[in-house]
Amino acid sequence: MKILEDRILQDGTILPGDVLKVDNFLNHQVDPQLMDQLGAEFARRFKNAGVTKVLTVESSGIAPAVMAALHLGVPMIFARKHKSLTLTDHLYTAKVYSYTKQGNNDISIDRRFLSADDNVLIIDDFLANGQAVQGLLDIAESAQIKVAGVGVVIEKRFQKGHQLVKDAGLPLVALASIAKFENGSVTFAQD
């Protein structure tokens, strides 16, 4: 998606450890007009997939996921990372490792919000090593629901998350796919 690639080139910063910082439009300050365009593109790409709900992990996946859900006309559910007084019983849970936070999180979704006839679309901000997506796939398996596909705003194709989704046999839509970081610049994949 050209508008997203341009925004990454304009505002993104490459940090040590192959981390792309895009906190001025995606995962700290959010550009709502851009999120709307991203959500519309996800909806266009998955419009015939029979999606009943959009699933993500808090917190950076929420903005693109809610916009995708809005354009698809379905609810959005986010897996919570933190314990809550209101989220204690009857949960689907999975363990997820965060590379940027260097630690494990238990993610949870209330069982009331997933049913056997659901066909979910997983949306996240980044796909790098695939840990968040794997956690949501584990929850989907526990809930015995179908997964229509995975949509990510930015994927780092050179890390293992892309292959993890492909090996699961799921459609993958990455709105910006990064082939490599080299000499402080971003090179996008061409396919």
mmCIF file of all heavy atoms in Angstrom, residues 15 18 30 49 52 58-59 68 70 79 83 90 105 111-112 114 120-121 131 135-136 142 148 165 171:
data_model
loop_
_atom_site.group_PDB
_atom_site.id
_atom_site.type_symbol
_atom_site.label_atom_id
_atom_site.label_comp_id
_atom_site.label_asym_id
_atom_site.label_seq_id
_atom_site.Cartn_x
_atom_site.Cartn_y
_atom_site.Cartn_z
ATOM 1 N N LEU A 15 15.685 1.207 14.553
ATOM 2 C CA LEU A 15 16.441 1.128 15.802
ATOM 3 C C LEU A 15 17.290 -0.138 15.800
ATOM 4 O O LEU A 15 17.048 -1.056 15.007
ATOM 5 C CB LEU A 15 15.469 1.106 16.989
ATOM 6 C CG LEU A 15 14.520 2.293 17.121
ATOM 7 C CD1 LEU A 15 13.571 2.088 18.301
ATOM 8 C CD2 LEU A 15 15.299 3.592 17.287
ATOM 9 N N ASP A 18 16.858 -4.478 14.522
ATOM 10 C CA ASP A 18 15.858 -4.547 13.448
ATOM 11 C C ASP A 18 14.460 -4.166 13.916
ATOM 12 O O ASP A 18 13.461 -4.762 13.512
ATOM 13 C CB ASP A 18 15.838 -5.933 12.787
ATOM 14 C CG ASP A 18 17.061 -6.162 11.919
ATOM 15 O OD1 ASP A 18 17.624 -5.181 11.397
ATOM 16 O OD2 ASP A 18 17.449 -7.335 11.756
ATOM 17 N N VAL A 30 -1.671 7.942 16.987
ATOM 18 C CA VAL A 30 -2.345 7.247 15.900
ATOM 19 C C VAL A 30 -2.918 8.252 14.913
ATOM 20 O O VAL A 30 -3.573 9.216 15.314
ATOM 21 C CB VAL A 30 -3.471 6.332 16.450
ATOM 22 C CG1 VAL A 30 -4.265 5.690 15.320
ATOM 23 C CG2 VAL A 30 -2.890 5.260 17.368
ATOM 24 N N ALA A 49 -14.567 -13.314 2.609
ATOM 25 C CA ALA A 49 -14.056 -14.402 3.453
ATOM 26 C C ALA A 49 -15.039 -14.841 4.529
ATOM 27 O O ALA A 49 -14.732 -15.750 5.298
ATOM 28 C CB ALA A 49 -12.731 -13.984 4.089
ATOM 29 N N THR A 52 -16.759 -12.930 10.643
ATOM 30 C CA THR A 52 -17.798 -12.587 11.620
ATOM 31 C C THR A 52 -17.276 -11.687 12.733
ATOM 32 O O THR A 52 -18.047 -10.981 13.374
ATOM 33 C CB THR A 52 -18.401 -13.845 12.263
ATOM 34 O OG1 THR A 52 -17.359 -14.585 12.932
ATOM 35 C CG2 THR A 52 -19.085 -14.722 11.221
ATOM 36 N N GLU A 58 -4.167 -6.323 22.395
ATOM 37 C CA GLU A 58 -3.933 -4.945 22.814
ATOM 38 C C GLU A 58 -2.430 -4.677 22.821
ATOM 39 O O GLU A 58 -1.645 -5.594 22.989
ATOM 40 C CB GLU A 58 -4.577 -4.660 24.170
ATOM 41 C CG GLU A 58 -3.900 -5.297 25.356
ATOM 42 C CD GLU A 58 -4.492 -4.860 26.692
ATOM 43 O OE1 GLU A 58 -5.252 -3.879 26.773
ATOM 44 O OE2 GLU A 58 -4.181 -5.531 27.664
ATOM 45 N N SER A 59 -1.977 -3.507 22.614
ATOM 46 C CA SER A 59 -2.777 -2.338 22.374
ATOM 47 C C SER A 59 -2.597 -1.788 20.956
ATOM 48 O O SER A 59 -3.507 -1.189 20.389
ATOM 49 C CB SER A 59 -2.449 -1.253 23.406
ATOM 50 O OG SER A 59 -1.100 -0.848 23.298
ATOM 51 N N ALA A 68 -10.816 -1.965 10.494
ATOM 52 C CA ALA A 68 -11.159 -3.089 9.622
ATOM 53 C C ALA A 68 -12.542 -3.622 9.978
ATOM 54 O O ALA A 68 -13.364 -3.889 9.103
ATOM 55 C CB ALA A 68 -10.107 -4.197 9.730
ATOM 56 N N LEU A 70 -14.970 -1.994 11.429
ATOM 57 C CA LEU A 70 -15.960 -0.999 11.013
ATOM 58 C C LEU A 70 -16.301 -1.165 9.532
ATOM 59 O O LEU A 70 -17.474 -1.206 9.158
ATOM 60 C CB LEU A 70 -15.423 0.409 11.284
ATOM 61 C CG LEU A 70 -16.312 1.561 10.827
ATOM 62 C CD1 LEU A 70 -17.573 1.636 11.663
ATOM 63 C CD2 LEU A 70 -15.542 2.880 10.898
ATOM 64 N N ALA A 79 -7.547 -9.216 22.549
ATOM 65 C CA ALA A 79 -7.034 -10.039 23.642
ATOM 66 C C ALA A 79 -6.307 -9.113 24.609
ATOM 67 O O ALA A 79 -5.481 -8.304 24.202
ATOM 68 C CB ALA A 79 -6.090 -11.109 23.108
ATOM 69 N N LYS A 83 -4.028 -8.343 33.582
ATOM 70 C CA LYS A 83 -5.104 -8.809 34.453
ATOM 71 C C LYS A 83 -6.057 -7.654 34.732
ATOM 72 O O LYS A 83 -5.667 -6.500 34.802
ATOM 73 C CB LYS A 83 -4.529 -9.322 35.776
ATOM 74 C CG LYS A 83 -3.671 -10.548 35.629
ATOM 75 C CD LYS A 83 -4.522 -11.776 35.550
ATOM 76 C CE LYS A 83 -3.613 -13.001 35.532
ATOM 77 N NZ LYS A 83 -4.304 -14.168 35.127
ATOM 78 N N HIS A 90 -13.663 -17.818 32.937
ATOM 79 C CA HIS A 90 -14.144 -18.307 31.646
ATOM 80 C C HIS A 90 -13.395 -17.633 30.493
ATOM 81 O O HIS A 90 -13.988 -16.988 29.645
ATOM 82 C CB HIS A 90 -15.658 -18.123 31.512
ATOM 83 C CG HIS A 90 -16.418 -18.636 32.690
ATOM 84 N ND1 HIS A 90 -16.488 -19.975 32.993
ATOM 85 C CD2 HIS A 90 -17.101 -17.987 33.650
ATOM 86 C CE1 HIS A 90 -17.197 -20.133 34.084
ATOM 87 N NE2 HIS A 90 -17.582 -18.950 34.512
ATOM 88 N N ASN A 105 3.803 -12.404 27.922
ATOM 89 C CA ASN A 105 2.499 -11.939 28.385
ATOM 90 C C ASN A 105 1.508 -13.073 28.219
ATOM 91 O O ASN A 105 1.566 -13.810 27.239
ATOM 92 C CB ASN A 105 1.982 -10.776 27.521
ATOM 93 C CG ASN A 105 2.735 -9.498 27.741
ATOM 94 O OD1 ASN A 105 2.814 -9.008 28.853
ATOM 95 N ND2 ASN A 105 3.288 -8.948 26.674
ATOM 96 N N ARG A 111 -14.638 -15.925 27.030
ATOM 97 C CA ARG A 111 -15.284 -16.959 26.206
ATOM 98 C C ARG A 111 -16.647 -16.527 25.665
ATOM 99 O O ARG A 111 -17.093 -17.049 24.644
ATOM 100 C CB ARG A 111 -15.452 -18.250 27.018
ATOM 101 C CG ARG A 111 -14.155 -18.962 27.272
ATOM 102 C CD ARG A 111 -14.369 -20.172 28.174
ATOM 103 N NE ARG A 111 -13.097 -20.815 28.443
ATOM 104 C CZ ARG A 111 -12.729 -21.970 27.907
ATOM 105 N NH1 ARG A 111 -13.537 -22.617 27.098
ATOM 106 N NH2 ARG A 111 -11.550 -22.487 28.199
ATOM 107 N N ARG A 112 -17.297 -15.573 26.319
ATOM 108 C CA ARG A 112 -18.622 -15.124 25.867
ATOM 109 C C ARG A 112 -18.579 -14.500 24.477
ATOM 110 O O ARG A 112 -19.601 -14.441 23.799
ATOM 111 C CB ARG A 112 -19.212 -14.091 26.829
ATOM 112 C CG ARG A 112 -19.541 -14.618 28.196
ATOM 113 C CD ARG A 112 -20.045 -13.506 29.095
ATOM 114 N NE ARG A 112 -19.023 -12.461 29.202
ATOM 115 C CZ ARG A 112 -19.288 -11.168 29.360
ATOM 116 N NH1 ARG A 112 -20.535 -10.738 29.425
ATOM 117 N NH2 ARG A 112 -18.308 -10.297 29.470
ATOM 118 N N LEU A 114 -16.676 -15.374 21.798
ATOM 119 C CA LEU A 114 -16.353 -16.260 20.682
ATOM 120 C C LEU A 114 -17.295 -17.450 20.707
ATOM 121 O O LEU A 114 -17.525 -18.042 21.766
ATOM 122 C CB LEU A 114 -14.903 -16.751 20.772
ATOM 123 C CG LEU A 114 -13.819 -15.686 20.626
ATOM 124 C CD1 LEU A 114 -12.447 -16.278 20.914
ATOM 125 C CD2 LEU A 114 -13.854 -15.066 19.239
ATOM 126 N N VAL A 120 -12.963 -15.709 12.235
ATOM 127 C CA VAL A 120 -12.293 -14.467 12.630
ATOM 128 C C VAL A 120 -11.190 -14.070 11.655
ATOM 129 O O VAL A 120 -10.555 -14.917 11.024
ATOM 130 C CB VAL A 120 -11.712 -14.553 14.055
ATOM 131 C CG1 VAL A 120 -12.809 -14.794 15.079
ATOM 132 C CG2 VAL A 120 -10.635 -15.617 14.174
ATOM 133 N N LEU A 121 -10.998 -12.771 11.569
ATOM 134 C CA LEU A 121 -9.870 -12.189 10.858
ATOM 135 C C LEU A 121 -8.935 -11.637 11.911
ATOM 136 O O LEU A 121 -9.339 -10.808 12.734
ATOM 137 C CB LEU A 121 -10.343 -11.067 9.923
ATOM 138 C CG LEU A 121 -9.256 -10.214 9.270
ATOM 139 C CD1 LEU A 121 -8.322 -11.058 8.411
ATOM 140 C CD2 LEU A 121 -9.897 -9.086 8.463
ATOM 141 N N GLN A 131 4.712 -14.048 17.125
ATOM 142 C CA GLN A 131 4.270 -14.514 18.434
ATOM 143 C C GLN A 131 2.844 -14.085 18.773
ATOM 144 O O GLN A 131 2.070 -14.879 19.304
ATOM 145 C CB GLN A 131 5.248 -14.045 19.522
ATOM 146 C CG GLN A 131 6.640 -14.624 19.361
ATOM 147 C CD GLN A 131 6.628 -16.136 19.448
ATOM 148 O OE1 GLN A 131 6.193 -16.707 20.441
ATOM 149 N NE2 GLN A 131 7.078 -16.804 18.405
ATOM 150 N N GLY A 135 -0.293 -16.627 19.271
ATOM 151 C CA GLY A 135 -1.148 -16.620 20.456
ATOM 152 C C GLY A 135 -2.623 -16.558 20.101
ATOM 153 O O GLY A 135 -3.453 -17.267 20.677
ATOM 154 N N LEU A 136 -2.966 -15.719 19.116
ATOM 155 C CA LEU A 136 -4.367 -15.631 18.680
ATOM 156 C C LEU A 136 -4.809 -16.901 17.965
ATOM 157 O O LEU A 136 -5.965 -17.331 18.111
ATOM 158 C CB LEU A 136 -4.565 -14.394 17.800
ATOM 159 C CG LEU A 136 -4.433 -13.057 18.540
ATOM 160 C CD1 LEU A 136 -4.445 -11.906 17.557
ATOM 161 C CD2 LEU A 136 -5.511 -12.895 19.598
ATOM 162 N N SER A 142 -8.379 -23.214 20.614
ATOM 163 C CA SER A 142 -9.062 -23.555 21.866
ATOM 164 C C SER A 142 -10.561 -23.305 21.780
ATOM 165 O O SER A 142 -11.361 -24.058 22.325
ATOM 166 C CB SER A 142 -8.499 -22.734 23.031
ATOM 167 O OG SER A 142 -7.161 -23.076 23.280
ATOM 168 N N ALA A 148 -10.234 -16.808 9.147
ATOM 169 C CA ALA A 148 -10.364 -16.445 7.734
ATOM 170 C C ALA A 148 -9.040 -16.011 7.131
ATOM 171 O O ALA A 148 -8.810 -16.170 5.930
ATOM 172 C CB ALA A 148 -11.392 -15.325 7.574
ATOM 173 N N VAL A 165 2.680 -17.935 9.336
ATOM 174 C CA VAL A 165 1.305 -17.791 8.834
ATOM 175 C C VAL A 165 1.107 -18.656 7.593
ATOM 176 O O VAL A 165 0.094 -19.343 7.453
ATOM 177 C CB VAL A 165 0.977 -16.316 8.549
ATOM 178 C CG1 VAL A 165 -0.396 -16.172 7.896
ATOM 179 C CG2 VAL A 165 1.052 -15.492 9.835
ATOM 180 N N PRO A 171 -4.492 -17.253 4.545
ATOM 181 C CA PRO A 171 -4.219 -16.077 3.717
ATOM 182 C C PRO A 171 -3.570 -14.989 4.577
ATOM 183 O O PRO A 171 -3.983 -14.763 5.716
ATOM 184 C CB PRO A 171 -5.599 -15.629 3.248
ATOM 185 C CG PRO A 171 -6.504 -16.788 3.450
ATOM 186 C CD PRO A 171 -5.924 -17.576 4.592
#
